[in-house]
């Protein structure tokens, strides 16, 4: 990949460009090799200028908070983009509408809406990702998903063209949407309802308590590894794994959380291959015992 012109990509902004950048510290698993280019645009103008210059000459991956991503140990032959501070703003519009930049953390959005007495965003306090990752994954918990609060998505394609996508044009499904994969979400507009600050705060605490009681915290994980096989069984995927796989199974430092069988954990220095061996083993064991093909929820980037 020709990089000379990109190396000299410079302007008067504070956008950051790195080469052969280590990705292992930028995701929750703490796993991964290097990316040829790492770009952290601070403004939309810089992002568009970069995309036009890059002109899809290699791969492009958008990194949010890295809480759902497993990077391989290979060099990523392209650019990993992480949106910077201009994409981290939240504003209120009229009638309980909010606009949030894609790098805003879900937790911050739920806190902002609570401070402004807007309800509907309480569930976001339990998801450790960003707005961009949440749109891509249609993330959710406790019977609420991004689809329930989204009004529209503002995006840019890989060639730098800006798009505005209304809710009605997006088909949402469980942990997915039909939005094209070659889009960078810039921000989104959300609809909440009139709420009472104290009630919202109580609801957030209640949900966080349920989460803390049922899922591990302070571990290197990507959250739910597989999707629940909805329609194929009444069991949740963690139950299938619990019944099909010995609980102390590990490959290198890759293992299964004692608190939640669908959370796979990097105990210390697990490599990508260790995690993939664990994933393959669990998939095979569940297939053998229940004849169900599990589908990955985490995004594997190679
Ligand atoms: C402890 C733990 C608990 C979790 N609990 C839940 C839960 O309750 N519910 C749930 O749904 N998930 C849960 N997750 C998974 C994860 O937090 C969500 O999927 C989250 O929305 C991912 O956001 P992210 O910013 O970390 O995305 P990343 O991991 O950075 O990326 C995920 C995907 O989104 C894409 N993406 C990110 N930003 C953009 C953007 N701006 N434009 C285009 N694409 C983008 C990436 O390219 C990638 O394909 C949990 C994870 C952990 C570690």
């Amino acid at each position: 990949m020709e990089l000379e012109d990109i190396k000299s990509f410079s302007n008067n902004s504070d956008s950051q460009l790195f080469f052969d950048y280590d990705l292992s510290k930028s995701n929750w698993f703490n796993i991964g090799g290097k990316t040829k280019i790492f770009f952290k645009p601070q403004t939309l103008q810089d992002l568009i200028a970069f995309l036009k210059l890059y002109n899809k000459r290699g791969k492009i991956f958008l990194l949010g908070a890295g809480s759902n991503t497993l990077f391989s140990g290979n060099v990523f032959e392209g650019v990993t983009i992480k949106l910077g501070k201009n994409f981290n703003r939240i504003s209120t519009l009229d009638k309980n509408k909010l606009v949030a930049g894609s790098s805003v953390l879900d937790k911050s959005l739920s806190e902002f809406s609570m401070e402004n007495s807007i309800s509907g965003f309480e569930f976001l306090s339990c998801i450790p990702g960003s707005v961009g990752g949440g749109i891509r994954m249609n993330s959710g918990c406790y019977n609420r998903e991004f689809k329930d609060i989204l009004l529209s998505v503002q995006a840019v394609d890989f060639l730098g063209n800006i798009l505005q996508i209304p809710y009605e044009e997006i088909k949402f499904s469980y942990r997915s949407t039909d939005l094209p994969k070659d889009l960078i979400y810039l921000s989104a507009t959300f609809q909440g309802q009139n709420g009472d600050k104290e009630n919202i705060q109580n609801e957030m605490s209640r949900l966080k308590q349920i989460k803390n009681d049922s899922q591990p915290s302070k571990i290197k994980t990507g959250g739910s590894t597989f999707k629940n096989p909805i329609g194929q069984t009444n069991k949740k995927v963690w139950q299938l794994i619990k019944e099909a796989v010995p609980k102390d199974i590990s490959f290198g430092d890759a293992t299964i959380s004692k608190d939640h069988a669908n959370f796979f954990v990097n105990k210390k220095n697990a490599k990508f291959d260790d995690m993939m061996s664990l994933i393959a083993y669990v998939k095979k064991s569940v297939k053998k015992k229940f004849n169900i093909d599990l589908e990955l929820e985490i995004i594997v980037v190679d």
Side-chain angles (χ1 to χ4, degrees):
M1 189 169 41
E2 176 57 54
L3 290 179
E4 283 320 305
D5 55 338
I6 291 185
K7 283 186 175 156
S8 60
F9 175 83
S10 69
N11 43 49
N12 296 325
S13 78
D14 54 357
S15 292
Q16 293 159 296
L17 199 51
F18 302 94
F19 296 90
D20 299 317
Y21 184 91
D22 179 11
L23 288 168
S24 65
K25 295 285 177 287
S26 64
N27 65 88
W28 275 60
F29 273 118
N30 275 192
I31 289 176
K34 289 184 172 168
T35 176
K36 207 87 210 143
I37 311 167
F38 186 85
F39 181 49
K40 195 165 183 193
Q42 302 297 2
T43 64
L44 177 58
Q45 207 182 6
D46 280 3
L47 174 62
I48 291 175
F50 177 88
L51 290 169
K52 287 191 191 296
L53 177 68
Y54 185 70
N55 197 23
K56 298 210 272 192
R57 73 185 74 176
K59 298 192 236 178
I60 300 178
F61 180 74
L62 245 296
L63 178 64
S67 64
N68 207 50
T69 300
L70 177 61
F71 286 110
S72 89
N74 299 330
V75 174
F76 183 74
E77 291 294 336
V79 59
T80 302
I81 300 177
K82 186 168 170 88
L83 301 177
K85 63 173 184 265
N86 254 336
F87 303 88
N88 192 17
R89 300 203 171 128
I90 312 176
S91 329
T92 43
L93 297 175
D94 62 336
K95 299 197 187 77
N96 300 316
K97 286 192 186 71
L98 297 177
V99 184
S102 279
S103 58
V104 167
L105 290 178
D106 297 337
K107 186 171 159 284
S108 310
L109 185 53
S110 69
E111 277 159 12
F112 181 94
S113 55
M114 183 262 288
E115 289 299 337
N116 287 278
S117 303
I118 302 174
S119 71
F121 298 80
E122 294 84 348
F123 74 102
L124 293 179
S125 59
C126 296
I127 305 176
S130 67
V131 163
I135 298 167
R136 163 78 158 81
M137 303 306 299
N138 185 25
S139 300
C141 52
Y142 311 122
N143 300 320
R144 300 272 290 164
E145 293 177 324
F146 263 71
K147 76 163 179 12
D148 301 320
I149 48 173
L150 260 182
L151 279 181
S152 63
V153 176
Q154 296 79 46
V156 63
D157 69 18
F158 284 176
L159 288 171
N161 304 301
I162 293 188
L163 293 90
Q164 168 86 18
I165 311 159
Y167 172 86
E168 296 72 28
E169 286 178 17
I170 308 172
K171 199 164 159 244
F172 296 90
S173 51
Y174 168 55
R175 299 297 168 263
S176 187
T177 74
D178 69 346
L179 286 167
K181 298 287 178 276
D182 60 347
L183 284 185
I184 300 171
Y185 313 132
L186 303 168
S187 59
T189 311
F190 297 98
Q191 179 72 64
Q193 295 89 41
N194 256 336
D196 171 77
K197 192 170 163 182
E198 205 180 310
N199 289 346
I200 297 171
Q201 207 162 15
N202 290 341
E203 178 63 359
M204 281 163 65
S205 306
R206 188 184 74 84
L207 296 179
K208 279 194 272 190
Q209 189 61 50
I210 305 176
K211 183 96 174 178
N212 287 340
D213 291 346
S214 61
Q215 291 182 7
S217 59
K218 298 192 177 72
I219 50 166
K220 300 184 204 179
T221 182
S224 295
T225 311
F226 295 102
K227 295 181 183 179
N228 285 310
I230 295 168
Q232 297 182 63
T233 167
N234 290 331
K235 290 186 179 177
K236 296 274 190 193
V237 63
W238 66 264
Q239 292 171 302
L240 301 175
I241 298 173
K242 215 170 167 182
E243 289 173 35
V245 179
K247 64 173 182 297
D248 54 355
I249 187 80
S250 62
F251 289 82
D253 270 347
T255 189
I256 295 179
S257 161
K258 301 271 174 288
D259 300 319
H260 196 298
N262 196 25
F263 276 42
F264 292 8
V265 183
N266 172 7
K267 271 193 292 191
K268 200 167 180 194
N269 289 316
K271 302 279 171 280
F272 174 74
D273 290 346
D274 299 328
M275 204 49 83
M276 290 311 283
S277 301
L278 181 61
I279 287 170
Y281 180 86
V282 169
K283 233 174 134 37
K284 204 170 129 198
S285 306
V286 169
K287 174 76 178 169
K288 195 168 161 203
K289 189 162 173 91
F290 298 103
N291 196 26
I292 289 174
D293 289 305
L294 292 182
E295 193 190 329
L296 276 180
E297 178 171 324
I298 55 168
I299 306 288
V300 176
V301 184
D302 200 357

